[in-house]
Amino acid sequence: MIEDKNPQRTPLSELGEFKLIEHLTEHFKVTQKSTIKGIGDDAAVLNFGKKQIVVSTDLLVEGVHFDLSYAPLKHLGYKAIVVNLSDIYAMNAMATQVTVSIAVSNRFPLEALEELYAGITTAAKVYNVDVVGGDTTSSTSGLIISVTAIGEVEKGDEVLRSGAKPNDLVVVTGDVGSAFMGLQVLEREKEVFKVNPNNQPDLSMYTYIIERQLKPEARKDVVELLKELKVKPTSMIDVSDGISSEIIHLCKQSKVGVDIYENKIPLDPQLISTCEEFNVDSTTIALNGGEDYELLMTVSQEDYPKIKGNPNLTVIGYITEEDRGMHLVTRSEEKIPIIAKGWNALKDQI
């Protein structure tokens, strides 16, 4: 198939702000009864009745949160929505609406933003949320994406970070660490490409961990599962900055301690083999990697029979009294203090 060497490039200046918004959002459909007024006015009008409203905002900045040399714009749009929805699900709530704002430099043509918004549209459809507004402006430092997510939860069903109690079980969904190692593979191949632009990397060995980095999924399914199981976590947080950072947040908010068992932390085989290749410790990556967007929660021991054996949920430790501290129990049964070394946008990586 012959590639078009001169694809159409439409300058954004030809459209202006309002026509640009109209063009990019023409495919968004309102599906939620609670959306009284979506895009097209000064503000969205939402009716939640007697339910609690849950709102979260996240910012993704080029060069800090993503690198467009290996992050496709469609994937980036999808990820921008997912990482915000994850915060809503971590409250035991259901996401219903999002707003999307972007700051973009003049190096981006219209077609590039169409790709970005195609990913946003796909995520909105997959997670059944309405895109109800946003803003656009210019940028002198690349692409910036701001997403606000709104959700609802029945009064009394919300789960905070402050409810963990001694003897509660620490539970994590899915597996952890894969997204960080996917990033390491992409960064390595980027450096190889700089040396030899004709080199085409073979990433077939890393498909899972790369997808975890470029196109993560939020655990809406787990919130639905917990409801089916009639299990309400005592506390919950999403794993965006690494288990070590997140469990410290839970413990400090709840004024408790914790013991996490190294041999219980769920690791994907592809993560383990990639860690061996990079000569790094898989437990360190699992604890500190971040961007997994799994849910880390505490559950009363009374609910253990309800979650036992469920493939989506893994018990990795238990909550202790505050004065016992926060520890990782190694495979050799040595206790090591847990230190927050997770991802920090304002500092270097691990």
Side-chain angles (χ1 to χ4, degrees), residues 173-183 185-186 203-217 219 266-274 292 294:
T173 65
D175 61 84
V176 290
S178 294
F180 180 82
M181 285 313 296
L183 177 63
V185 170
L186 291 168
L203 301 177
S204 59
M205 294 172 55
Y206 313 104
T207 51
Y208 177 71
I209 61 174
I210 287 177
E211 184 173 3
R212 292 280 282 180
Q213 169 58 220
L214 296 181
K215 188 178 172 290
E217 299 292 350
R219 298 312 303 261
L267 306 176
D268 186 82
Q270 200 171 99
L271 165 71
I272 296 172
S273 61
T274 307
D292 293 301
E294 296 292 345

Side-chain angles (χ1 to χ4, degrees), residues 115-296:
E115 280 291 296
L116 179 73
Y117 272 73
I120 292 171
T121 303
T122 300
K125 182 178 180 181
V126 169
Y127 288 92
N128 191 28
V129 297
D130 295 332
V131 181
V132 295
D135 193 15
T136 60
T137 189
S138 61
S139 167
T140 59
S141 57
L143 177 62
I144 301 172
I145 308 169
S146 176
V147 177
T148 296
I150 302 165
E152 60 183 30
V153 61
E154 296 286 350
K155 289 184 178 180
D157 285 349
E158 67 275 10
V159 176
L160 308 179
R161 299 178 182 181
S162 56
K165 297 176 176 59
N167 298 318
D168 282 352
L169 302 173
V170 179
V171 179
V172 69
T173 65
D175 61 84
V176 290
S178 294
F180 180 82
M181 285 313 296
L183 177 63
Q184 302 316 299
V185 170
L186 291 168
E187 287 286 348
R188 180 185 67 183
E189 297 307 320
K190 176 185 175 181
E191 294 305 313
V192 172
F193 179 79
K194 286 179 180 179
V195 176
N196 182 9
N198 294 319
N199 181 66
Q200 292 297 316
D202 179 9
L203 301 177
S204 59
M205 294 172 55
Y206 313 104
T207 51
Y208 177 71
I209 61 174
I210 287 177
E211 184 173 3
R212 292 280 282 180
Q213 169 58 220
L214 296 181
K215 188 178 172 290
E217 299 292 350
R219 298 312 303 261
K220 175 184 178 182
D221 61 318
V222 170
V223 178
E224 295 169 335
L225 171 66
L226 292 172
K227 190 171 184 179
E228 289 176 12
L229 296 175
K230 294 185 167 69
V231 173
K232 180 188 175 184
T234 54
S235 68
M236 188 154 58
I237 191 171
D238 77 325
V239 185
S240 56
D241 299 327
I243 283 185
S244 60
S245 293
E246 313 302 4
I247 196 64
I248 288 174
H249 286 315
L250 287 185
C251 288
K252 287 185 175 180
Q253 291 281 331
S254 299
K255 294 181 172 53
V256 293
V258 70
D259 281 348
I260 299 291
Y261 289 82
E262 181 182 16
N263 62 351
K264 299 295 184 182
I265 299 173
L267 306 176
D268 186 82
Q270 200 171 99
L271 165 71
I272 296 172
S273 61
T274 307
C275 285
E276 291 174 352
E277 180 185 345
F278 277 71
N279 195 29
V280 293
D281 179 60
S282 59
T283 299
T284 300
I285 299 303
L287 286 173
N288 304 313
E291 289 201 291
D292 293 301
Y293 300 105
E294 296 292 345
L295 295 177
L296 180 68

Side-chain angles (χ1 to χ4, degrees), residues 83-120:
V83 301
N84 280 271
L85 299 186
S86 183
D87 286 331
I88 301 298
Y89 301 137
M91 302 292 293
N92 202 37
M94 277 293 142
T96 49
Q97 289 91 6
V98 294
T99 64
V100 182
S101 298
I102 62 171
V104 61
S105 69
N106 58 12
R107 86 173 195 269
F108 291 90
L110 171 63
E111 287 73 18
L113 297 191
E114 286 176 336
E115 280 291 296
L116 179 73
Y117 272 73
I120 292 171

